[in-house]
Amino acid sequence: AFTPTGSKAMQCKVLLMKSLSKTKLYHSVLNEKSDHFLKLLRFWCCHNDKELTAFGGPWSAELDGADPTELQTQVNTAVRNIKAQLGLDLSHCRTWYKISEVVYHRESEKRSGAEHGERTILFLPSVWDCQPSQEEWDLIKQHVKPKYDPTAEENVEEKTEEKKKKKKK
């Protein structure tokens, strides 16, 4: 189970869009006959005891950066929390769209004159940045295919030996 680490002074949440290729999105926007592109958008969300919410969590000065007002610190917070919650590494995302920033001031803080409230920032990362290029994908397939491809030479030899053993029995 995910255990939040950090301060409630700032939380970074992330809208994770379900797989939708750029091509399909562009086609939908440019093609008058297709559904409106907003109908194609789907997002992953988290269901805790009380509500549906975006994935993410609190800022930690030790882990994310000392200044929570800096964009890189906020992105570090989002990346760390998503990795802890989902095992998904968003560190390769180059573009982070800040959708909203909400500051909640409690009545007790207003009376005491405190200027800081609880800040929640909602990001939409460009997950397409995390997809490998065609060259990277080809390299990945070269390394993975021999392990799982039944036509790969090593697997053919292993299966032949297994069949021989079964015939002997």
Side-chain angles (χ1 to χ4, degrees), residues 6-68:
S7 167
K8 289 227 178 211
M10 183 185 73
Q11 294 191 66
C12 290
K13 301 285 188 164
V14 178
L15 281 176
L16 292 172
M17 195 179 336
K18 286 187 178 183
S19 182
L20 179 64
S21 70
K22 282 184 182 180
T23 306
K24 190 170 184 175
L25 182 61
Y26 294 152
H27 176 74
S28 172
V29 171
L30 299 173
N31 187 352
E32 293 177 14
K33 294 178 184 176
S34 67
D35 285 338
H36 192 276
F37 82 96
L38 290 177
K39 290 183 180 181
L40 298 173
L41 299 179
R42 301 285 186 263
F43 297 95
W44 292 98
C45 62
C46 174
H47 185 263
N48 61 23
D49 294 337
K50 302 175 191 173
E51 62 197 358
L52 288 175
T53 183
F55 289 100
W59 160 68
S60 168
E62 298 81 31
L63 300 172
D64 304 321
D67 186 357

Side-chain angles (χ1 to χ4, degrees), residues 14-156:
V14 178
L15 281 176
L16 292 172
M17 195 179 336
K18 286 187 178 183
S19 182
L20 179 64
S21 70
K22 282 184 182 180
T23 306
K24 190 170 184 175
L25 182 61
Y26 294 152
H27 176 74
S28 172
V29 171
L30 299 173
N31 187 352
E32 293 177 14
K33 294 178 184 176
S34 67
D35 285 338
H36 192 276
F37 82 96
L38 290 177
K39 290 183 180 181
L40 298 173
L41 299 179
R42 301 285 186 263
F43 297 95
W44 292 98
C45 62
C46 174
H47 185 263
N48 61 23
D49 294 337
K50 302 175 191 173
E51 62 197 358
L52 288 175
T53 183
F55 289 100
W59 160 68
S60 168
E62 298 81 31
L63 300 172
D64 304 321
D67 186 357
T69 62
E70 289 184 8
L71 179 62
Q72 189 57 54
T73 299
Q74 296 166 358
V75 168
N76 292 345
T77 301
V79 167
R80 178 181 54 81
N81 279 287
I82 294 300
K83 192 163 188 173
Q85 286 175 316
L86 302 173
L88 180 62
D89 184 4
L90 296 177
S91 62
H92 297 290
C93 290
R94 295 182 301 267
T95 308
W96 290 77
Y97 302 100
K98 191 182 280 192
I99 302 298
S100 70
E101 186 167 345
V102 178
V103 181
Y104 178 71
H105 293 282
R106 297 185 185 280
E107 196 61 38
S108 60
E109 292 172 343
K110 290 179 185 176
R111 282 190 224 126
S112 68
E115 292 184 23
H116 305 299
E118 293 178 12
R119 181 177 310 269
T120 300
I121 301 167
L122 185 62
F123 285 104
L124 177 65
S126 175
V127 292
W128 293 291
D129 296 342
C130 296
Q131 293 177 335
S133 68
Q134 187 61 48
E135 292 170 355
E136 292 169 330
W137 184 241
D138 290 341
L139 286 172
I140 291 168
K141 288 193 300 188
Q142 278 181 338
H143 292 291
V144 173
K145 189 174 181 175
K147 294 178 185 175
Y148 300 103
D149 186 359
T151 61
E153 191 174 309
E154 295 172 2
N155 291 340
V156 170

